[in-house]
Amino acid sequence: MTGATAASDEAPKVAPVNPRPKGWRLLKIALRTRKAATMLAFGFSSGLPYALLIGTLNAWLGEVGVALATIGVLSWIGLAYSFKFLWSPLVDRFELPLLGRMGRRKSWIILCQAVMVAAFAGLASTHPASQIGTFAIFAVIAALASATQDVAVDAWRIDVADEDTPVELLSAIYQLGYRIASIVGGALALVLAARMSWPMVYLVMGGLMALMILVAARAPDTSRPPVSALHALLTQPGQLTPRTRAIALMIVGISWAWALYEIGSFMVSVLGDAPAGAPRPSTADFMKLYGPWIVIATVLVPLVVAATLNALQKRGHHVLDQADTRRSGARTVLNHLYLALVAPLAELAGRLGWGVLIVIGMILTYTLCYNIWAAFAFPFYLDFLHYSKDEVAFASKVFGIFMTILGIGLGGYLFARIGRFPTVLIGAILPILGNFLYADLAEGGAHIDAFANLFGLNALAGALGSDARMVRLLLAISGENISTGIAGAAFVAYLSGIVSKDFTAVQYALLSSLTFLIGSLGRGIAGEAFDTLGYATVFRYTAAVGLVAVVFVLLEWLRVATSERRAKALT
């Protein structure tokens, strides 16, 4: 046997790359193994409460006559999903009493699912029009439990992945379960609400969540691992001392705690029982007074702290002279918090310098144009435009989901075809146009009707037994969902490209959370503005706000292009 032949015989065989499964093939794979089937159920368990709390709940509130300003403030429960990284270290390291013996991740998942079942039952037993404060408490509890479950499910997916069920496959199955839940918690819930009371709908949905507890109880799990590589890195010479990290963490923690306290206190004052004759607190006044300070506390203060730590470490101040071998549970928790709240921004600030301000500005504003009013979609369709629940269920949660998937596909295609920043810029511009579509829809849809008549869509709808009114809604949703699908795909790709490989998970979690910060806070103002200015005017204002994102995209494009030219000049 020749040497060449022997070498070829000993060379490892490269497995063929299989295309990522989709549709029914993905569902078939999901039901084939225990891990994959569990992942499908966990995806459903994550998607169902989000659909019920962030979208469908507002349809219920609008139907019983709750003011849009109040709906806007209640929509701040969505901040639980934005800030879930704050308590992710607790979920990762703390072993629950009694339940902990069931498994590291599944114990948290089961606890959260049980809390959500109880919270949905609480919502069903409370009348939102007359007991909005109690109703809000149950909604907040459900949102916190749902966001915490997401943390545990994300960790479970990574932990249990193996060669037979790789994390990429589990992620695809998770998305499938999540989308099924979006239809159940959106379209099906609306269809049921047209035939039964809203409390009964939420009891049914609570029953579905209770079934997920049975699935979670039989899920596989993993043991607790030793301290991770990032934790070990913090103990090496040249790293900041534990005392310095603790002081930095205290400053950032106090800033976040103050912001959350102010938001929570205002929610209580708005949703609680006001004294007779006393005016309700104004969301617009609160945001004018506290909004900028909340952004400073949650974004600017951590950035300044991160930049200061980078400067100290660069100059060799307050760093370890030798490896730190001390271990304790408290230090492990502090390390987790430091890696979640401070280290990701410190790395980003150190790598980008002053450019981090442009990046953070772009992250804060990119989704603002459509996130700021998304919570009011159901009240807009049902109470203002007077579409039926069945019509909205089909248009928004069935047809609309397909349009979003189409937009995501177009975003991926454009990203590969014309490049990163051209696609990101298109994703910033198109939602602005989508807002103008909704402004036209709010005013009767004259321009949408002209488009539909030009292309014969109204005649086609008539032949199929529908009418121009439904075509109007479908076209508006098509424009909005396709544009936001493109924007979402482009922005996820951008964020994935900018995060550090050393901090991929925590940095992406932090940056993606900041994406929804301004939009979530702005919903309170939007609700009050819808009540006072009307839908069409607010849609145009939010479109104008979207121009801020366009400016930041152009600045970031210029920054990256300049950086690349300098790098080429040095080579």
Side-chain angles (χ1 to χ4, degrees), residues 18-40 164-166 169-170 172-173 176:
N18 296 319
R20 185 175 179 177
K22 297 180 180 179
W24 290 110
R25 181 165 175 256
L26 179 61
L27 181 61
K28 183 179 179 181
I29 293 174
L31 298 175
R32 186 179 299 168
T33 66
R34 183 182 173 194
K35 287 181 181 178
T38 302
M39 188 76 266
L40 182 68
D164 295 328
T165 50
L169 176 62
L170 290 176
I173 293 171
L176 176 63

Side-chain angles (χ1 to χ4, degrees), residues 367-420:
T367 64
L368 186 60
C369 181
Y370 50 93
N371 267 340
I372 202 169
W373 72 267
F376 305 94
F378 281 161
F380 175 58
Y381 300 144
L382 295 168
D383 305 317
F384 183 78
L385 297 177
H386 302 296
Y387 285 96
S388 71
K389 292 185 179 74
D390 287 353
E391 288 172 332
V392 174
F394 170 76
S396 178
K397 291 301 180 180
V398 179
F399 179 80
I401 285 178
F402 284 109
M403 291 300 102
T404 300
I405 294 172
L406 175 60
I408 292 171
L410 286 173
Y413 172 79
L414 290 172
F415 208 89
R417 186 74 176 177
I418 64 177
R420 177 171 56 158

